[in-house]
Amino acid sequence: TVKQLAVTVFSVVSQNDAPLEVKDAAMTCVGHLFADHYSTFTAAEVESTFKTLGDRLSHATTSVAAAKAIQLIVTAAPNASITALPAPLTRTAAQQLVDSLKLNNRSVRQASLEALTAWVTVSGGIVTEHLEALSIYIDSDEVVISGLVFKLVGVLVKKVNTVVGDVLKSIVPKSVSFLKSSNAQGPVVTTLAVTVKTVVDAQPAVADELLSKFLTVDSNGATAQVIGAIASAHPKRDDNLKTFLSQAKSGSPFAISVLGELGARVDITETPAVDILLGALGTSLASSAGTSDKSGRFNAARALGSLVVSNPKKVIAVFESQISKAPLYIVAAIRQGIERLSPEVLVENTEALANILICASEKSDEVIRDAISDCLGKLVQSNIQVIKILEKSLQSDQKSTRACVTRALSLAVNQAQDSTHLVGSSILVPFLIGLGDSAVEVRTAALGLLQTALNKNLQKVKHLIPKYEKYLAVEALRRPELITKVVVGANTLITDLGITSRRTTFQIIDSLISHSIDSINMGIVLSSLGSGCKGDEEVEIQVLSHKIVIKLVSLQPEAVCRSISTFDLSPIFLKLLPNTAIEVDIKANQELVADTKPVVHAIEDELYSHKYLSKADTLKAIEGLVKAGYGGLRMDKLYKQVILGLSDTSTQEAAVTVLIELWKLFDAKIQNNIGHKTIAEETISGIDELLATPFFKTLPTSIGGDIIKPLTAVRILETGLLKLDKHKKDTKVGPHAGFNAYLNNSIKKGAVAAKYAEIK
C-alpha cells in the first residue's frame, strides 16, 4: 500500500549509514507520495513527516531534499489540511526553514525560500516574525536569492496586510540598497516592483513614503520600474502622472522610463503620454523637446512599447502609423511590447504586429531588418500561425523582405526550446527555395535556416540534404560577381558580399561530416573543400576549409587519398610577400602557413599507412600530393616512401615519377626565391640517403636521362645555397633580397654556368 511504501522509504532517512544520495531520493519519494496521496494519510502521520523533514533541514547534506519535499507536500495538499496543522508545528517548521538559510549554500537557501513561499501562499503569516532575519539575504551579489526573498515578502503581504509596517522597517531599506547595485536588473527587479505594488495595494497610505525612499536611488531603468509600479497603485496616481508627463516633456529620460512602467500597468494612452514619447523618438518633434541622442530615443521606444500592455489595439495602431517615420525605434518599441505582453494577448495581436513588421522590411537597412527578423521570430514562437504570413511574404518582389522573413524562421527555430514543430518539411521547404534565389541576401538567409534546422533537429532534417546539396556546391565557390574593388589612393578596398554565405555553407558541410556524413554527396564535399582551400582568397574560409579537411581525413581517408589533387595547398607555402611587406602581413602569412601544414600532414599520415591504396596507387597519390602540398611536405617521410618504391621493380617507375615531379617543382619554384630557403634545404636534406640506394648506384639507362637533369639542378642549387650563406655574411644582404642577383651573377656566370645552361 501507499502507507507501507512511505514507511519503508522514509525509514532510510533516519539511517546513519545510508548514502547521501539514497537519503535524498527517499525524501523526494516521500514528498511525491504525500503530495499525490495526501488523503491517504492521517493528520498524525502528516505531522510526524513534517517533524522528520524539519529535523533534516539543519544538515547541509540533506536540507535541500528536505525543503523540496516540504514544498511538494504543501503545494499539493488541500489548503484546509495545511492550515489545520497545529500552530506549534507550523511555527517550528517556519523557524527551521529560516534557520536553514544560515547554511552558506545557495542551493539550500533557494530550496528553503521556495518552501517558505509555498507554505505562506497556503497558510499566511508563518514568517511574519522572521522578516528581519529574511532581510539579511537581500544581497546584490546574490540576485536569485534576493528575488526569492522579494517574492516571499510579496506573497506574505497579500495574505497578511498587517505586516506592511514591518516590511517598511526591515525589507524596504535593504531593497533600496539592492536597487543601487549594477546587478539590479532583469527578473529580480520585476519581482521587486510587483512586491512594492503589493505593499501599496495592501496599505495605500504608505505610497508616498515608498516613493520618497526609492527616489533616492540613481535614476535608471531599474528604479523607474519600481517607481512606475508604486505610482500605478498610488492613491494620487493622476497627480503623479502629471508630474512625470511634465518631466518627460522636458526631456527627462528617467521620467520617460517611468511613463513606460506606469503605462504597462494602467492605461495612460488618453493622456499626452503617447505624443510625448513619439516626440522623444523624433517622429513628432512639435509635441515635445525630443531627445537627440540614440540611447535616449531607444529609451523612449521601450517606454512606448510598454504602453501596449494596457491598451494593445490603440498602441499597435500607433506603431502602424509611425513606423515609416522612425522604423528603427518603432521596431524597438514593438520588440518591447512582444516581451511584455502576456502570451494570450500576444497571440491575439500577432497578425497585426507581423504585418506591420513585414511592411517595414521592404525599405529598411540591414540593422533594421535584423531587428525585424528578431521580432518576427519571437512572434512565430508565440503563435505558429505567423509562419503562414511569413510564407506569403516569400512571394514579395523585395529581396529585403524575402531575406527578412527567412531569417525570422531561422531565429525562431534557434531560440525555441523545442523546435521540432518548426522544422517539418511542409514548413521548411517553401523557405529553403530561397537557396536558389537570385539575391545573395536571400540565399544567405536560407543557408542560415538550413544550418540552424540541422543543428537543432538533424535527424528530422537531414533527409532534405540531397535535394539542396547542389546549392551548397554553388555557394561554396568564390563568385566574382559578388566582389567589388574600389581604389582609394594607393590602397584597394575589396568587398566580398558572398563571404557570409560561403562561411555558412562550409559550416553546414562541417556539421554534416561530423554527424551525418552519409547524407551528403562526397563528391560535392571534396570539390567544395578544394575550392575553399585553393580558390578562396579569404583567409577565414581557407582556415575553415583546412579544419574540415583534417576532420574528413579521419572519417573518409580513402576518399581523400584518392582526391589529393583537389586540395592544391602549394600556393600558400610558396607565396612570397614583397620586400616592402609590412610586418603584420608577414605574420598573417606565417600563421596561414602554420594552419595549412597540419592538412598536409594528416593526408600524409593516412596515405603512408598503406591501408587504403596499393603500393603503386600510393606512389601515384604521392605524386599528386607533391603537386598539391609542395612546401608543406615532410620530406624525410616522403623520401622513405620513394626509397620503398625504388626497391621494388613493379613500383620503380612510379617512384621515379614522384622524384622527377618533386625536383622539377624544386627547380621551377624555389631557385629564385631566397624566402623559400627552408623548403629548399628540406628538399636537399634527404638526397644523399636517396642516392645511396641500389637503384641509383645502378641507374637504369632507360630512365636515367629523365632524372639526371632535375637532379643536377638540385645539386647546383644546393651548391648555390651553401655559397649564399657566406656571400650574405660578406655583403650583409637583407633577408628578403639578393638571391636572384647572386644566382645570376655568381652561379650562372661562374664555374657551373655551362652545366646550368645545359640543364635549362
Side-chain angles (χ1 to χ4, degrees), residues 24 56-57 59-69 105 107-109 111:
D24 283 353
R56 307 314 301 174
L57 289 169
H59 300 277
T61 54
T62 56
S63 53
V64 173
K68 289 183 176 180
N105 184 302
S107 297
V108 173
R109 290 174 178 173

Side-chain angles (χ1 to χ4, degrees), residues 298-310:
F298 275 117
N299 182 48
R302 288 190 293 271
L304 180 63
S306 296
L307 265 56
V308 79
V309 178
S310 57

Side-chain angles (χ1 to χ4, degrees), residues 172-193:
V172 170
K174 294 297 294 286
S175 301
V176 171
S177 298
F178 177 86
L179 205 57
K180 294 178 180 179
S181 166
S182 59
N183 291 334
Q185 52 185 307
V188 67
V189 178
T190 302
T191 304
L192 175 58

Side-chain angles (χ1 to χ4, degrees), residues 5-35:
L5 180 59
V7 170
T8 302
V9 172
F10 211 35
S11 65
V12 176
V13 177
S14 302
Q15 294 176 8
N16 294 329
D17 58 345
L20 174 60
E21 59 269 23
V22 176
K23 289 185 178 182
D24 283 353
M27 284 186 281
T28 302
C29 182
V30 168
H32 282 291
L33 283 172
F34 272 79

Side-chain angles (χ1 to χ4, degrees), residues 25 47 184 250 308 372 421 497 663 671 746:
E47 292 175 28
S250 299
V308 79
I372 290 173
H421 62 295
L497 297 178
W663 290 337
Q671 64 175 340
S746 300

Side-chain angles (χ1 to χ4, degrees), residues 434-662:
L435 291 169
D437 199 282
S438 59
V440 65
E441 300 93 331
V442 182
R443 298 199 303 273
T444 301
L447 283 166
L449 172 59
L450 179 59
Q451 179 188 23
T452 302
L454 285 168
N455 289 342
K456 295 280 283 191
N457 288 275
L458 175 65
Q459 297 306 316
K460 192 168 182 179
V461 179
K462 67 178 183 180
H463 71 281
L464 295 173
I465 294 301
K467 182 176 182 179
Y468 298 109
E469 59 186 12
K470 62 182 179 182
Y471 297 113
L472 297 179
V474 173
E475 293 303 321
L477 300 174
R478 190 171 188 265
R479 300 167 70 166
E481 68 270 21
L482 299 178
I483 299 170
T484 59
K485 297 182 179 181
V486 178
V487 178
V488 181
N491 300 312
T492 301
L493 180 63
I494 300 176
T495 302
D496 187 348
L497 297 178
I499 187 169
T500 303
S501 62
R502 296 205 303 283
R503 181 195 306 120
T504 306
T505 299
F506 283 111
Q507 288 170 342
I508 290 172
I509 291 173
D510 187 17
S511 180
L512 290 171
I513 287 174
S514 301
H515 306 293
S516 185
I517 196 167
D518 294 336
S519 62
I520 187 168
N521 183 288
M522 191 51 57
I524 289 177
V525 170
L526 292 168
S527 63
S528 298
L529 291 174
S531 67
C533 287
K534 70 179 182 180
D536 207 300
E537 295 182 12
E538 290 290 340
V539 173
E540 177 190 357
I541 302 300
Q542 288 179 323
V543 170
L544 181 57
S545 299
H546 297 161
K547 291 179 179 178
I548 299 173
V549 172
I550 292 173
K551 185 182 294 184
L552 187 63
V553 169
S554 66
L555 297 172
Q556 291 283 325
E558 183 175 354
V560 176
C561 288
R562 292 186 181 278
S563 308
I564 289 174
S565 59
T566 304
F567 312 106
D568 186 5
L569 302 171
S570 61
I572 294 175
F573 299 119
L574 299 175
K575 177 184 178 183
L576 269 187
L577 296 171
N579 298 342
T580 56
I582 60 176
E583 186 176 343
V584 67
D585 289 337
I586 295 172
K587 184 177 180 182
N589 191 56
Q590 290 171 340
E591 290 175 351
L592 181 58
V593 168
D595 179 83
T596 310
K597 280 188 176 181
V599 180
V600 178
H601 297 170
I603 296 174
E604 284 177 327
D605 289 341
E606 293 298 339
L607 185 59
Y608 298 162
S609 70
H610 297 276
K611 293 179 182 178
Y612 315 104
L613 305 177
S614 65
K615 287 184 179 180
D617 287 342
T618 297
L619 286 165
K620 185 67 177 175
I622 291 175
E623 180 187 349
L625 183 61
V626 167
K627 295 176 182 178
Y630 186 69
L633 299 167
R634 291 176 289 189
M635 298 305 302
D636 57 335
K637 293 182 178 292
L638 186 143
Y639 280 136
K640 285 180 180 179
Q641 295 298 315
V642 172
I643 291 172
L644 184 65
L646 293 174
S647 66
D648 187 333
T649 55
S650 66
T651 56
Q652 278 182 354
E653 185 176 352
V656 169
T657 304
V658 171
L659 288 175
I660 292 173
E661 187 62 42
L662 175 68

